[in-house]
CSV table of all heavy atoms in Angstrom, one decimal:
chain,number,residue,atom,x,y,z
A,1,MET,N,57.5,-18.8,-65.8
A,1,MET,CA,56.5,-18.9,-64.7
A,1,MET,C,55.5,-17.7,-64.8
A,1,MET,O,55.4,-17.0,-63.9
A,1,MET,CB,57.1,-19.0,-63.3
A,1,MET,CG,57.9,-20.3,-63.1
A,1,MET,SD,58.8,-20.3,-61.5
A,1,MET,CE,57.4,-20.8,-60.5
A,2,THR,N,54.8,-17.6,-65.9
A,2,THR,CA,54.0,-16.4,-66.2
A,2,THR,C,52.6,-16.5,-65.6
A,2,THR,O,52.0,-15.5,-65.5
A,2,THR,CB,53.9,-16.2,-67.7
A,2,THR,OG1,53.4,-17.4,-68.3
A,2,THR,CG2,55.3,-15.9,-68.3
A,3,THR,N,52.1,-17.7,-65.3
A,3,THR,CA,50.8,-17.8,-64.7
A,3,THR,C,50.8,-18.2,-63.2
A,3,THR,O,49.8,-18.4,-62.6
A,3,THR,CB,49.9,-18.8,-65.5
A,3,THR,OG1,50.6,-20.1,-65.4
A,3,THR,CG2,49.8,-18.4,-66.9
A,4,VAL,N,52.0,-18.4,-62.7
A,4,VAL,CA,52.2,-18.7,-61.3
A,4,VAL,C,52.1,-17.5,-60.4
A,4,VAL,O,52.8,-16.5,-60.6
A,4,VAL,CB,53.5,-19.5,-61.0
A,4,VAL,CG1,53.7,-19.8,-59.6
A,4,VAL,CG2,53.6,-20.7,-61.9
A,5,PRO,N,51.3,-17.5,-59.4
A,5,PRO,CA,51.3,-16.3,-58.4
A,5,PRO,C,52.6,-16.3,-57.7
A,5,PRO,O,53.0,-17.3,-57.1
A,5,PRO,CB,50.1,-16.6,-57.5
A,5,PRO,CG,49.2,-17.6,-58.2
A,5,PRO,CD,50.2,-18.4,-59.0
A,6,LEU,N,53.2,-15.1,-57.7
A,6,LEU,CA,54.6,-14.9,-57.1
A,6,LEU,C,54.5,-13.8,-56.1
A,6,LEU,O,53.8,-12.8,-56.3
A,6,LEU,CB,55.6,-14.6,-58.1
A,6,LEU,CG,55.7,-15.5,-59.3
A,6,LEU,CD1,56.7,-15.0,-60.3
A,6,LEU,CD2,56.1,-16.9,-58.9
A,7,LEU,N,55.2,-13.9,-55.0
A,7,LEU,CA,55.3,-12.9,-53.9
A,7,LEU,C,56.7,-12.8,-53.5
A,7,LEU,O,57.4,-13.8,-53.3
A,7,LEU,CB,54.4,-13.3,-52.8
A,7,LEU,CG,54.4,-12.4,-51.5
A,7,LEU,CD1,53.7,-11.1,-51.9
A,7,LEU,CD2,53.7,-13.1,-50.4
A,8,CYS,N,57.1,-11.5,-53.3
A,8,CYS,CA,58.5,-11.2,-52.8
A,8,CYS,C,58.3,-10.5,-51.4
A,8,CYS,O,57.4,-9.7,-51.2
A,8,CYS,CB,59.3,-10.3,-53.7
A,8,CYS,SG,59.7,-11.1,-55.3
A,9,ALA,N,59.2,-10.8,-50.5
A,9,ALA,CA,59.1,-10.2,-49.2
A,9,ALA,C,60.6,-10.2,-48.6
A,9,ALA,O,61.5,-10.7,-49.2
A,9,ALA,CB,58.3,-11.1,-48.2
A,10,ARG,N,60.7,-9.5,-47.5
A,10,ARG,CA,62.0,-9.4,-46.9
A,10,ARG,C,62.2,-10.4,-45.8
A,10,ARG,O,61.2,-10.7,-45.1
A,10,ARG,CB,62.2,-8.0,-46.2
A,10,ARG,CG,62.7,-7.0,-47.2
A,10,ARG,CD,63.3,-5.9,-46.4
A,10,ARG,NE,64.1,-5.1,-47.3
A,10,ARG,CZ,64.3,-3.8,-47.1
A,10,ARG,NH1,63.8,-3.2,-46.1
A,10,ARG,NH2,65.0,-3.1,-48.0
A,11,GLU,N,63.3,-11.0,-45.7
A,11,GLU,CA,63.7,-11.9,-44.7
A,11,GLU,C,63.9,-11.1,-43.4
A,11,GLU,O,64.4,-10.0,-43.4
A,11,GLU,CB,65.0,-12.7,-45.1
A,11,GLU,CG,65.3,-13.9,-44.2
A,11,GLU,CD,64.4,-15.0,-44.5
A,11,GLU,OE1,63.8,-15.2,-45.6
A,11,GLU,OE2,64.2,-15.8,-43.5
A,12,ILE,N,63.6,-11.7,-42.2
A,12,ILE,CA,63.8,-10.9,-41.0
A,12,ILE,C,65.4,-10.8,-40.8
A,12,ILE,O,66.1,-11.7,-41.1
A,12,ILE,CB,63.1,-11.5,-39.8
A,12,ILE,CG1,63.6,-13.0,-39.5
A,12,ILE,CG2,61.6,-11.5,-39.9
A,12,ILE,CD1,63.1,-13.5,-38.2
A,13,PRO,N,65.8,-9.6,-40.3
A,13,PRO,CA,67.3,-9.4,-40.2
A,13,PRO,C,67.9,-10.0,-38.9
A,13,PRO,O,68.1,-9.3,-37.9
A,13,PRO,CB,67.4,-7.9,-40.2
A,13,PRO,CG,66.1,-7.4,-39.7
A,13,PRO,CD,65.1,-8.4,-40.1
A,14,VAL,N,68.1,-11.3,-38.9
A,14,VAL,CA,68.7,-12.0,-37.7
A,14,VAL,C,70.2,-11.8,-37.7
A,14,VAL,O,70.9,-12.0,-38.7
A,14,VAL,CB,68.3,-13.5,-37.8
A,14,VAL,CG1,69.0,-14.2,-36.6
A,14,VAL,CG2,66.8,-13.7,-37.7
A,15,THR,N,70.7,-11.4,-36.6
A,15,THR,CA,72.1,-11.2,-36.4
A,15,THR,C,72.9,-12.5,-36.7
A,15,THR,O,72.5,-13.5,-36.2
A,15,THR,CB,72.4,-10.7,-35.0
A,15,THR,OG1,71.7,-9.5,-34.7
A,15,THR,CG2,73.9,-10.5,-34.8
A,16,GLY,N,73.9,-12.3,-37.6
A,16,GLY,CA,74.7,-13.5,-37.9
A,16,GLY,C,74.2,-14.4,-39.1
A,16,GLY,O,74.8,-15.4,-39.4
A,17,SER,N,73.0,-14.0,-39.6
A,17,SER,CA,72.5,-14.8,-40.7
A,17,SER,C,73.2,-14.6,-42.0
A,17,SER,O,74.0,-13.6,-42.1
A,17,SER,CB,71.0,-14.5,-40.9
A,17,SER,OG,70.8,-13.2,-41.2
A,18,MET,N,73.0,-15.5,-42.9
A,18,MET,CA,73.7,-15.4,-44.2
A,18,MET,C,73.3,-14.1,-45.0
A,18,MET,O,72.1,-13.8,-45.1
A,18,MET,CB,73.3,-16.6,-45.1
A,18,MET,CG,74.0,-16.7,-46.4
A,18,MET,SD,73.4,-18.0,-47.5
A,18,MET,CE,73.5,-19.4,-46.5
A,19,PRO,N,74.3,-13.4,-45.4
A,19,PRO,CA,74.0,-12.1,-46.1
A,19,PRO,C,73.8,-12.4,-47.6
A,19,PRO,O,74.1,-13.5,-48.1
A,19,PRO,CB,75.3,-11.3,-46.0
A,19,PRO,CG,76.4,-12.3,-45.8
A,19,PRO,CD,75.7,-13.5,-45.1
A,20,LEU,N,73.2,-11.4,-48.3
A,20,LEU,CA,73.0,-11.5,-49.8
A,20,LEU,C,72.3,-12.8,-50.2
A,20,LEU,O,72.7,-13.5,-51.1
A,20,LEU,CB,74.4,-11.4,-50.5
A,20,LEU,CG,75.1,-10.1,-50.2
A,20,LEU,CD1,76.6,-10.2,-50.7
A,20,LEU,CD2,74.5,-8.9,-50.9
A,21,CYS,N,71.3,-13.1,-49.5
A,21,CYS,CA,70.6,-14.4,-49.6
A,21,CYS,C,69.2,-14.3,-50.2
A,21,CYS,O,68.4,-13.4,-49.9
A,21,CYS,CB,70.5,-15.1,-48.3
A,21,CYS,SG,69.9,-16.8,-48.4
A,22,ILE,N,68.9,-15.2,-51.2
A,22,ILE,CA,67.6,-15.3,-51.8
A,22,ILE,C,67.0,-16.6,-51.3
A,22,ILE,O,67.7,-17.7,-51.5
A,22,ILE,CB,67.7,-15.3,-53.3
A,22,ILE,CG1,68.4,-14.0,-53.8
A,22,ILE,CG2,66.3,-15.4,-54.0
A,22,ILE,CD1,69.0,-14.1,-55.1
A,23,ARG,N,65.8,-16.6,-50.8
A,23,ARG,CA,65.1,-17.9,-50.4
A,23,ARG,C,63.8,-18.0,-51.2
A,23,ARG,O,63.2,-17.0,-51.6
A,23,ARG,CB,64.8,-17.9,-48.9
A,23,ARG,CG,66.1,-18.0,-48.1
A,23,ARG,CD,65.8,-18.0,-46.6
A,23,ARG,NE,66.9,-18.2,-45.8
A,23,ARG,CZ,67.8,-17.2,-45.4
A,23,ARG,NH1,67.6,-16.0,-45.8
A,23,ARG,NH2,68.9,-17.5,-44.7
A,24,VAL,N,63.4,-19.2,-51.4
A,24,VAL,CA,62.1,-19.4,-52.1
A,24,VAL,C,61.4,-20.6,-51.4
A,24,VAL,O,62.0,-21.6,-51.0
A,24,VAL,CB,62.3,-19.7,-53.6
A,24,VAL,CG1,63.0,-21.0,-53.9
A,24,VAL,CG2,60.9,-19.7,-54.3
């Protein structure tokens, strides 16, 4: 995916949410 614009951000830290998680 070399020509696709990509952005990384932090998920908000909600109490009890799934740890060690990557979302897209």
Side-chain angles (χ1 to χ4, degrees):
M1 294 178 77
T2 57
T3 61
V4 177
L6 307 175
L7 176 68
C8 294
R10 276 205 164 149
E11 193 71 29
I12 61 171
V14 175
T15 303
S17 63
M18 182 187 309
L20 301 166
C21 186
I22 303 157
R23 292 178 174 86
V24 66

